[in-house]
Amino acid sequence: MVAHDAADRYFDAVEDGLKDAGPRFDTIRKSLKLVRHEKGREDVYAVLADVRRVSEAEVDAELTVVTVVPKKDEEWLIVLQDTSPWPLTMLPVRPSRGQAELVAKKVREDEMERLRRDKTQILQKVLSMLRSYGIDPTIDTTEVEVEIVVDTNWEAVRAEHGLDGFRRVPVWQPALKHVMRDRRRTVEVMERALLRPPATPTDAEATTRHVDALSDFQDRIKV
């Protein structure tokens, strides 16, 4: 119950921090999730920014780069994956939702310009490879509905430490420090649990993959 209470307060503190940080962090805030993972005789509680799928209209296409993650074992999709990341507007062929997902990151203008130059140099080679696998790049796929997944983990770490030239907006570390400092609360929760045993929390369950990913994230935003 102490762990659950701490995670619950951590969730609120992170959410408040993201709200104060402005609309740039709305995607992360909307994807926050409190999860429980049974680990032997212990329960691990975690706050994470879950996968966030958005429509194409919700991203800034001119400043968004995507990594193609195939859902099917098809050679032409592997070509797009191996040559990722791509500026969203420069994808040689747009894979449909059933074929692949596009993991999206927002970058600076100078980063986008550099990536565009790099892709321009290899574009003809990529088009040739696509044709060799039976894909006609001249067919218009602009109306194909793609599946865009925001890389919330990358966004959070970048903001926490001010990486890639972006303004530093620490949220996760201050929230964790706030929760850890409140030791009196820990005693209160323990007393309450001992005197009036509570019902088992019914939070969403996490997979081992979620917990491992959270551990990796926590290592990178250490208090």
Side-chain angles (χ1 to χ4, degrees):
M1 287 307 301
V2 170
H4 175 263
D5 180 75
D8 194 46
R9 288 184 290 125
Y10 186 40
F11 181 99
D12 291 341
V14 169
E15 186 175 45
D16 288 344
L18 291 171
K19 283 181 181 177
D20 292 341
R24 166 184 160 193
F25 299 94
D26 283 351
T27 297
I28 300 176
R29 181 173 56 80
K30 291 175 183 177
S31 69
L32 285 180
K33 195 175 183 181
L34 175 61
V35 297
R36 181 184 64 195
H37 177 72
E38 294 183 8
K39 188 176 181 181
R41 298 177 62 183
E42 300 177 349
D43 281 353
V44 175
Y45 294 93
V47 178
L48 55 89
D50 207 0
V51 170
R52 174 74 174 166
R53 288 176 169 78
V54 298
S55 68
E56 196 166 352
E58 294 179 76
V59 300
D60 183 348
E62 294 302 320
L63 292 176
T64 297
V65 301
V66 295
T67 296
V68 177
V69 181
K71 293 183 178 180
K72 295 184 175 182
D73 188 18
E74 297 184 14
E75 295 293 346
W76 71 276
L77 290 172
I78 303 300
V79 170
L80 293 180
Q81 181 182 40
D82 288 346
T83 54
S84 292
W86 284 90
L88 179 57
T89 56
M90 280 187 72
L91 262 179
V93 178
R94 291 160 56 93
S96 67
R97 287 177 171 270
Q99 294 170 331
E101 66 180 23
L102 306 180
V103 179
K105 298 179 181 181
K106 187 175 180 180
V107 298
R108 302 190 312 269
E109 290 184 10
D110 61 310
E111 292 178 299
M112 178 60 79
E113 289 175 6
R114 184 167 61 250
L115 186 60
R116 286 183 180 280
R117 289 196 298 270
D118 293 344
K119 294 309 177 191
T120 298
Q121 293 176 9
I122 67 167
L123 184 58
Q124 291 307 314
K125 180 180 178 180
V126 172
L127 294 177
S128 177
M129 293 174 69
L130 292 175
R131 292 189 189 95
S132 71
Y133 293 119
I135 301 298
D136 184 358
T138 63
I139 295 177
D140 186 5
T141 59
T142 54
E143 298 303 318
V144 171
E145 187 176 355
V146 295
E147 180 176 8
I148 297 179
V149 180
V150 177
D151 192 340
T152 50
N153 187 50
W154 179 78
E155 291 279 2
V157 172
R158 183 178 65 172
E160 197 74 13
H161 297 291
L163 304 178
D164 303 318
F166 280 82
R167 180 172 62 92
R168 183 170 184 259
V169 186
V171 170
W172 299 81
Q173 295 178 84
L176 190 56
K177 287 179 180 178
H178 170 74
V179 172
M180 292 174 67
R181 278 197 299 263
D182 196 358
R183 294 197 172 97
R184 180 182 296 180
R185 172 75 178 209
T186 300
V187 175
E188 291 174 354
V189 173
M190 288 178 68
E191 289 177 344
R192 211 165 48 236
L194 290 169
L195 294 172
R196 296 188 301 277
T200 303
T202 57
D203 310 283
E205 292 185 2
T207 63
T208 301
R209 180 180 60 81
H210 277 134
V211 175
D212 289 344
L214 186 91
S215 296
D216 175 64
F217 173 74
Q218 192 64 63
D219 286 343
R220 287 183 282 156
I221 60 111
K222 285 182 179 177
V223 175

